Structure formats: C-alpha cells, structure tokens
Amino acid sequence: MRMMFQYLAMLDHNQFSHKRFVDGKSEAFRSRGRLRILVTQLVSCLFIFTIAKTEAALPDSANFADYKIKAVYIHHFANFVHWPDKLTDIRFCCLGRDSVTVTLENLVQNKGIPGYASSFISLKNLSEASNHCEILYLTERKMRKLQRIPQYEKVLTVSSNKGFTKQGGMIELRSINNQVKPVIGLDNVERGRLTVSSQLLRISLHHDVQKGGIHD
C-alpha cells in the first residue's frame, strides 16, 4: 500500500509543480508522457496489491481458483515485462486449451491492456510462436509432450508446468500453499532479450541455473 500512495504523491507533484514553460507545446507533450508513465506504474502497483489480497482471501479449499489468478498474472505481464522494441500491440498466444487459456482469452477480449492493442491467438504448433506472439502460455498437457522450450527472442513463455524454467521456459506459475507464485528463469528471460520489472521480481521466486535451485 505504501508504494501505491507514493505513486499517487508523485502523480500529484508532477501534475502541479511545473510552473515554467519555455515551449508550452513541447512541455505539455513531455508532461503527458510523464503522466502516462506514472499511471502505468500506479496500475502495476495496484495489480500487485490486488493479487496479494485475492490470494490472502482464498480459503484452503479454494484451489479451483488458481486458474483465475494465473490468467490474471499472464494478462498483466505486459505491464511487468519490457521488450527491446517499442510495442503497440500485445499478442497473447496459447498452445493447448485449459481453464487458464479460457479465462485469459476472456480477459484479453473484454479488458484489453491500457496503452496497447491486444489480441488472443490459439497456436497449432510451437513453431508459430516466434512470428505471432509477445506472450505465450503453454498448458501442462502440452508441456508433457515437450522436452525443451526453444529460446525465441522477444517471446515471453509462461506455463503452470512444474520445472518449466528448467526446460527453457521463462515464467512458471506455481501453486504454493494456496497461493500462486511466479518462478522466473532469469537466464532464459535474458536470452530472449526481455527484462522483468523490479515490481514483479519482488513478488517472485527465482530459478538460478548456476546454483541449481529456486530462491526468493
């Protein structure tokens, strides 16, 4: 919550503290740019807070809700992952069909991503991912048939399959004690030329290839 109020304070400060105008038109443009950045940061902060509250409110018997939380995570990864090129469109792809993909498709079609055009694509095979996706979710059933995930550049790969990061995947959404925790394979993310924001890293577990384990 403290982060949320800090961003609100920053937003208020930036909105009212610029009293000098050398070039009104360019200054207004820069102000709008700063405002969009601050709003994006605030949305990200609110998302983290919402996820934490949602998971804390789940009773021990509510494991069925995991797929909804996982879909929300995937939907919001566009705000937490940075691509090397400026994007105007976020294409969410899935390989396979399960409760997560159904929920994610509904979110993409009805909620969208602020600041981006967004679309949902069902892939027929993995080779289509490199040219059609920014974010790719692979179902556990599909992962059982794959030995390793190719390191496609600029494609964020996500799955609920245990050990996904060891197979070359970037983010595994793991259920731990009735909570969903992202497990991030940082080496795989870097090989894909992507960057994960500090906000997401703070609430994630990390798979370290060199140390051979998962840690906070």
Side-chain angles (χ1 to χ4, degrees), residues 50-93:
T50 301
I51 285 290
K53 282 192 66 177
T54 301
E55 292 185 332
L58 288 175
D60 290 342
S61 60
N63 289 330
F64 68 90
D66 279 8
Y67 73 88
K68 294 182 181 179
I69 298 173
K70 290 173 181 178
V72 171
Y73 262 115
I74 298 167
H75 183 239
H76 282 79
F77 279 153
N79 295 321
F80 290 95
V81 175
H82 306 294
W83 280 260
D85 304 321
K86 184 176 180 180
L87 301 179
T88 57
D89 183 21
I90 298 291
R91 296 168 296 179
F92 293 85
C93 298

Side-chain angles (χ1 to χ4, degrees), residues 112-125:
I113 299 292
Y116 298 97
S118 59
S119 56
F120 184 90
I121 303 169
S122 294
L123 301 182
K124 295 180 180 178
N125 55 69

Side-chain angles (χ1 to χ4, degrees), residues 159-193:
S159 181
S160 299
N161 197 61
K162 189 174 182 179
F164 182 63
T165 55
K166 294 180 181 179
Q167 294 176 281
M170 297 180 184
I171 301 180
E172 175 194 333
L173 294 173
R174 182 175 297 185
S175 298
I176 304 175
N177 298 325
N178 296 316
Q179 293 188 347
V180 175
K181 279 281 190 180
V183 179
I184 300 179
L186 290 175
D187 291 337
N188 298 334
V189 171
E190 291 174 1
R191 278 192 285 268
R193 296 180 60 205

